[in-house]
Amino acid sequence: VRPSRRVVGLLAGFGGPPQDPEAAGDPGGLVGLAQALSEGYGVTTVDLSDDGATVPDSVDVLVVAGPEEPLTEAATAELRRFLADGGNLFLMYQHIGIAASQQFTEAAEQPRLDALLAPYGVRVAPGLLVDLRSNEPLGLPGAGGATVQRPFPLFPIVVPVSEHPVVAGLSGVSLEFPSPLDLSGADTSTVTPLLATTEFGAVMPSESPLDPALDWPRLV
């Protein structure tokens, strides 16, 4: 019934999740997201890896999902231009990576994306967000081949703190190794928090162990 469909752009490259179903191997990451969005929106891939590349005028919202490599200055400038011209950005990134040993998390900075958020008073803060009560359990091998479920606070289940349509009807959203947001410098009339930890949430150092069997309350 719509005369035209709004277009969602998915930023490619920079170490983000694969968008090609054959490369991904399964309908997860941006592949699954693109399939779900295509039911009601136009979906296109946006590549800003080359200097001079631009976001197409047809794109209404550009999704920047989990880049693990720093954006180039040219790509950042184009995102800034896109915003200034009335475009919308959905930024999903964190300041946490996984150490090569796979035993610890580590700091992973994204200074250029931070600079995009700075004018709005929003800051991705250092540290690792955890929730001691509301989290996704991990299955660990137990006696006799049984699987034992252990709480894993590094995968918190955050809950809606707003009536905004984006989170309406949700009971919770599971996140993996999320970074905390600092909104102390934001204008509360224009910035709306959507999700938060429960009262059992806390912030741990960026370099934290990954062992689910640890005594987490003593670490926080």
Side-chain angles (χ1 to χ4, degrees):
V1 297
R2 298 174 181 169
S4 62
R5 297 203 301 175
R6 292 200 168 194
V7 176
V8 177
L10 304 178
L11 183 68
F14 303 105
Q19 300 184 32
D20 182 354
E22 295 183 2
D26 60 65
L30 293 189
V31 178
L33 175 64
Q35 292 175 344
L37 288 173
S38 64
E39 296 180 8
Y41 301 89
V43 179
T44 186
T45 296
V46 177
D47 188 348
L48 298 180
S49 57
D50 294 333
D51 290 352
T54 60
V55 180
D57 293 339
S58 60
V59 171
D60 297 289
V61 180
L62 181 63
V63 178
V64 180
E68 295 183 359
E69 302 169 4
L71 269 66
T72 62
E73 183 55 47
T76 309
E78 174 57 14
L79 294 183
R80 194 176 292 112
R81 193 279 311 167
F82 176 66
L83 279 175
D85 288 350
N88 302 279
L89 277 182
F90 185 8
L91 294 181
M92 294 185 285
Y93 73 102
Q94 58 204 127
H95 277 188
I96 298 294
I98 305 299
S101 66
Q102 299 292 311
Q103 296 179 349
F104 292 87
T105 56
E106 59 185 0
E109 302 299 323
Q110 284 283 359
R112 287 176 175 147
L113 289 179
D114 289 343
L116 282 177
L117 287 178
Y120 305 96
V122 177
R123 184 173 73 99
V124 179
L128 182 61
L129 195 65
V130 299
D131 196 305
L132 297 177
R133 293 287 183 90
S134 178
N135 55 66
E136 287 282 357
L138 288 186
L140 300 178
T147 299
V148 179
Q149 298 291 328
R150 294 292 299 269
F152 195 49
L154 301 181
F155 288 1
I157 300 176
V158 293
V159 296
V161 291
S162 168
E163 296 182 357
H164 194 282
V166 169
V167 294
L170 295 178
S171 59
V173 177
S174 177
L175 303 176
E176 297 183 6
F177 311 115
S179 299
L181 281 178
D182 179 1
L183 304 179
S184 59
D187 181 351
T188 55
S189 66
T190 59
V191 174
T192 303
L194 301 179
L195 302 162
T197 58
T198 69
E199 60 185 298
F200 300 100
V203 176
M204 292 182 61
S206 298
E207 293 80 14
S208 294
L210 292 172
D211 187 354
L214 293 173
D215 187 355
W216 289 99
R218 291 181 178 273
L219 295 175
V220 175

